[in-house]
Amino acid sequence: MGVSDGRLASDARLAGAGSQVEGPARALLMAALVAAGGALPLVLSDYWLDVAIFWGIYALLGLSLNLIVGEVGLFNMGHTAFFAIGAYGTVLLNQAWGLSLWLLMPLSGLLAAAAGYGLSRPIIHLRGDYLLVATIGLNEILRVTLVNNPWGLTGGPNGLILLDQFTVLGRRLDDPAAFYYLVWGVVGLVVWALLRLQHSRIGRAWNCVREDEVAAEAMGIDVRQAKLLAFVLGAGLAGAAGTLYAAKMVVVSPESFTFMEAVILFAIVVLGGLGSIPGVLVGSAAMMVLPEVLRDFAQYRMLFFGAAMALMMVFRPQGLWPSRRWSRQLTGEREP
Amino acid sequence: MNLLELRGVRKRFGGLQAVRDVTLEVRRGTITSLIGPNGAGKTTLFNLITGIYRPDVGSIRFQGEELVGLRPHQVVQRGIARTFQTVRLFTNLTCLENVLAGQHCRSQAGLWASILRTGRQRAEEARVREVAQACLELVGLEAAAHELAASLPYGDRKRLEIARALATQPTLLILDEPAGGLNESESHALMELILQIRASGVTVLLIEHDMRVVMGISDEVAVLDQGRIIARGTPSDVQNAPQVIEAYLGRPGEEALI
């Protein structure tokens, strides 16, 4: 671990944007956060636990989209499609063969990853806004297909009902506290894996592709393969989140997977800070928890949302918790 | 044996015959320069060698292996690295990360190895960092390892680009106008660096406008004009060749077309 430890410490030092946390202090902070998170079900009402559960699910979705948008710079506005494939796949496979949800979570991930591969392969070479439009198209095609109930599979506009639930030793994880631990356990695992990926050969190649495709190719990076890997991985992760969503919602219907959802996911990544893992956690909190806090103003929700986005772009384009690159690039700050 | 051999290479863009029938050899262990007036097709030729363009006709052989049809990243794997005329760094990454990119094709840790940090992945990572560090030291940028590439002054950016190319551990290094925009002391340091690179066993192919650099360090010079090689030889041969003087200055007695 020698090399990587030094590297992590230097990352923490470079974290910019106020978070000047070093080695042991950082570990202590992490432990405190985990402990606080673990204690939440003791103090929160069921209602707020549900909010925290949705925060976790959207954090997962944000993390998966961040791989594509933040790390590699591919504008994907159709990410809900993979989320939907995961959720529908979970219900259908459970109904057909009664597979356990523990098995269905990775399986839905694989299903969505396969779909991500098939759908992105023909369009992955598109740049910027062209890719954006193509992915919006994919998302809409899938949603309309779900509504039209092909071969009586998807239940049309009413959707499908998931009768099964995650079980541990025969006990269903129905209660919010148990489900909360499940969701945030998965978030923790994914964050751990993504942090390691960020500081690896693969994560570096992704960032090079984002910075300059021609130069990346000239450095021996297979740009097409790097993009496909990020897209497939992101799609797979969204698919796995789909299982959690289906288990939480019980009813899976097309109205959960509209274009607006894709916009919210995109906003989570941009709001938090492109390419920043803590940024995604903060961004998803802003999108999922804040609206609940401001419930009394629910009718003004879209107004707040729009105004917040506009203000963000003017005053803090790097996001709430930017990756160090963005913050340093935008402020011109240099390492001391 | 020649390290790189171009035979009858042609490339047309619409109505423009950018490269017409170029035949060129680069001998192992030399510094070979490609000079010529603006628009002569030098950069196009580099892009053909590195796989960014595909020639219409002709063959490009490197260490006996045909390169035509390979994609740019495959050409790098075979041992040809390059820099760009307009510096193309990963500006939002640190200098070290820029150079680490060069080692991508010399390492193979996959998705699972990277997540699980297997022993082999950690050993590879340590080795990759060592190479990157050595490349930074060679160009004298080790102190800036954790600075963003965007924060470097222009001359250092050019040196960083060379370090990044060297990190791919090439057999042939292709430099596209490395002295462009450098002041005199910087271009002097650059010449030292290029000689040092040759001494380390890397063959260098160079496009350059700065004649002091070209004449000072080249073993061989080829002159390209309107997509054709019009002269080849040692720097002094080429300097005195009438067709070269003509390409640069025009025919004696010819009216200027202004």
Side-chain angles (χ1 to χ4, degrees):
Chain A
M1 290 286 280
V3 175
S4 54
D5 277 350
R7 168 66 197 231
L8 275 178
S10 80
D11 275 358
R13 182 160 39 83
L14 295 174
S19 57
Q20 300 289 335
V21 219
E22 301 246 8
R26 190 182 150 108
L28 214 65
L29 188 78
M30 291 288 275
L33 273 177
V34 169
L40 269 186
L42 304 175
V43 289
L44 287 186
S45 66
D46 281 1
Y47 173 78
W48 284 105
L49 270 180
D50 267 2
V51 172
I53 287 167
F54 281 107
W55 174 18
I57 293 175
Y58 275 78
L60 274 179
L61 290 169
L63 289 169
S64 70
L65 185 61
N66 182 50
L67 274 182
I68 302 170
V69 179
E71 299 289 350
V72 197
L74 295 169
F75 287 166
N76 170 17
M77 194 64 103
H79 204 55
T80 347
F82 306 114
F83 182 36
I85 288 170
Y88 272 88
T90 299
V91 183
L92 286 171
L93 290 175
N94 182 261
Q95 284 179 352
W97 294 310
L99 298 177
S100 130
L101 292 193
W102 292 111
L103 184 64
L104 279 170
M105 188 151 50
L107 218 52
S108 310
L110 281 178
L111 196 66
Y117 181 74
L119 294 175
S120 68
R121 235 181 97 91
I123 59 170
I124 200 85
H125 64 280
L126 295 175
R127 274 159 214 252
D129 31 8
Y130 297 99
L131 184 67
L132 190 89
V133 172
T135 51
I136 292 175
L138 287 183
N139 196 34
E140 277 306 284
I141 291 168
L142 185 77
R143 194 184 59 81
V144 172
T145 309
L146 292 176
V147 171
N148 281 313
N149 197 8
W151 303 291
L153 267 179
T154 66
N158 297 327
L160 300 169
I161 296 176
L162 179 67
L163 298 171
D164 213 349
Q165 181 53 271
F166 283 95
T167 53
V168 174
L169 304 172
R171 221 189 103 215
R172 287 165 69 96
L173 299 185
D174 277 321
D175 65 304
F179 206 82
Y180 166 89
Y181 287 125
L182 169 66
V183 167
W184 281 94
V186 175
V187 173
L189 193 69
V190 168
V191 165
W192 171 80
L194 290 180
L195 278 173
R196 286 189 151 196
L197 216 48
Q198 242 183 6
H199 295 119
S200 76
R201 168 177 180 269
I202 291 175
R204 288 193 301 261
W206 282 340
N207 293 342
C208 291
V209 172
R210 182 190 63 203
E211 294 295 315
D212 187 330
E213 278 185 33
V214 174
E217 191 116 64
M219 284 304 105
I221 293 166
D222 188 342
V223 169
R224 200 182 149 75
Q225 192 197 38
K227 285 179 171 182
L228 274 174
L229 178 64
F231 207 100
V232 167
L233 208 60
L237 215 49
T243 301
L244 290 172
Y245 186 78
K248 181 64 207 166
M249 293 296 285
V250 179
V251 176
V252 172
S253 71
E255 68 182 295
S256 308
F257 307 106
T258 57
F259 173 62
M260 196 55 213
E261 286 297 301
V263 175
I264 288 176
L265 293 185
F266 208 87
I268 285 175
V269 176
V270 175
L271 208 65
L274 286 171
S276 158
I277 288 172
V280 169
L281 299 179
V282 174
S284 46
M287 295 304 292
M288 301 315 293
V289 181
L290 268 189
E292 296 302 327
V293 176
L294 303 170
R295 194 126 200 116
D296 294 343
F297 309 100
Q299 52 183 327
Y300 302 113
R301 190 171 164 181
M302 289 325 270
L303 187 71
F304 273 124
F305 177 43
M309 278 309 247
L311 289 173
M312 279 289 295
M313 286 306 114
V314 174
F315 294 109
R316 210 172 159 77
Q318 70 271 44
L320 293 169
W321 190 322
S323 65
R324 74 201 152 86
R325 303 190 166 116
W326 269 105
S327 63
R328 289 211 293 167
Q329 186 201 8
L330 286 163
T331 57
E333 172 201 333
R334 275 174 161 225
E335 201 192 344
Chain B
M1 191 182 67
N2 292 317
L3 184 64
L4 180 73
E5 287 184 337
L6 283 75
R7 291 265 171 273
V9 173
R10 296 179 195 199
K11 180 70 185 175
R12 172 185 280 279
F13 297 108
L16 175 76
Q17 187 75 50
V19 171
R20 52 186 100 199
D21 205 14
V22 165
T23 293
L24 179 74
E25 293 98 32
V26 175
R27 282 187 295 123
R28 196 183 280 274
T30 60
I31 296 175
T32 302
S33 289
L34 192 61
I35 63 171
N38 285 323
K42 303 183 296 289
T43 297
T44 305
L45 203 59
F46 274 20
N47 285 338
L48 288 168
I49 297 170
T50 52
I52 292 180
Y53 302 145
R54 198 192 162 107
D56 301 328
V57 214
S59 97
I60 301 172
R61 297 181 84 81
F62 179 69
Q63 298 185 317
E65 189 192 356
E66 182 63 51
L67 292 185
V68 173
L70 294 182
R71 290 169 57 202
H73 71 269
Q74 296 171 315
V75 174
V76 181
Q77 253 158 6
R78 305 288 188 283
I80 301 182
R82 69 169 297 172
T83 64
F84 293 88
Q85 189 177 351
T86 49
V87 182
R88 294 189 85 135
L89 291 168
F90 308 118
T91 44
N92 296 322
L93 306 187
T94 65
C95 295
L96 180 64
E97 285 166 328
N98 265 278
V99 178
L100 281 169
Q103 273 284 302
H104 184 86
C105 60
R106 302 285 171 238
S107 48
Q108 54 251 195
L111 189 64
W112 296 112
S114 299
I115 291 175
L116 299 174
R117 289 220 173 120
T118 57
R120 182 185 294 187
Q121 190 265 356
R122 291 201 303 258
E124 182 180 275
E125 196 72 358
R127 176 179 60 77
V128 157
R129 276 165 198 280
E130 239 167 67
V131 173
Q133 202 66 45
C135 291
L136 277 178
E137 276 163 26
L138 182 71
V139 301
L141 283 175
E142 65 274 18
H146 295 289
E147 301 259 3
L148 288 191
S151 69
L152 292 182
Y154 185 73
D156 286 351
R157 287 188 204 191
K158 297 215 108 172
R159 297 177 80 82
L160 179 59
E161 218 191 9
I162 294 175
R164 189 180 64 174
L166 284 174
T168 67
Q169 297 174 314
T171 315
L172 173 67
L173 176 66
I174 298 186
L175 302 172
D176 196 347
E177 288 197 32
L182 297 188
N183 66 32
E184 201 169 330
S185 74
E186 283 172 332
S187 64
H188 200 81
L190 177 79
M191 287 164 70
E192 293 286 318
L193 176 61
I194 295 175
L195 288 172
Q196 217 177 324
I197 290 168
R198 180 186 61 179
S200 73
V202 178
T203 307
V204 179
L205 177 60
L206 187 73
I207 292 183
E208 191 46 72
H209 279 301
D210 187 329
M211 284 305 144
R212 273 167 312 175
V213 173
V214 172
M215 297 306 161
I217 59 173
S218 304
D219 300 301
E220 253 175 75
V221 180
V223 187
L224 196 67
D225 182 37
Q226 296 182 12
R228 269 197 197 91
I229 302 276
I230 56 167
R232 282 164 65 186
T234 62
S236 57
D237 289 347
V238 165
Q239 238 167 346
N240 302 317
Q243 65 271 37
V244 176
I245 297 168
E246 188 186 306
Y248 271 92
L249 300 175
R251 219 184 298 267
E254 194 179 65
E255 292 288 331
L257 292 170
I258 298 171

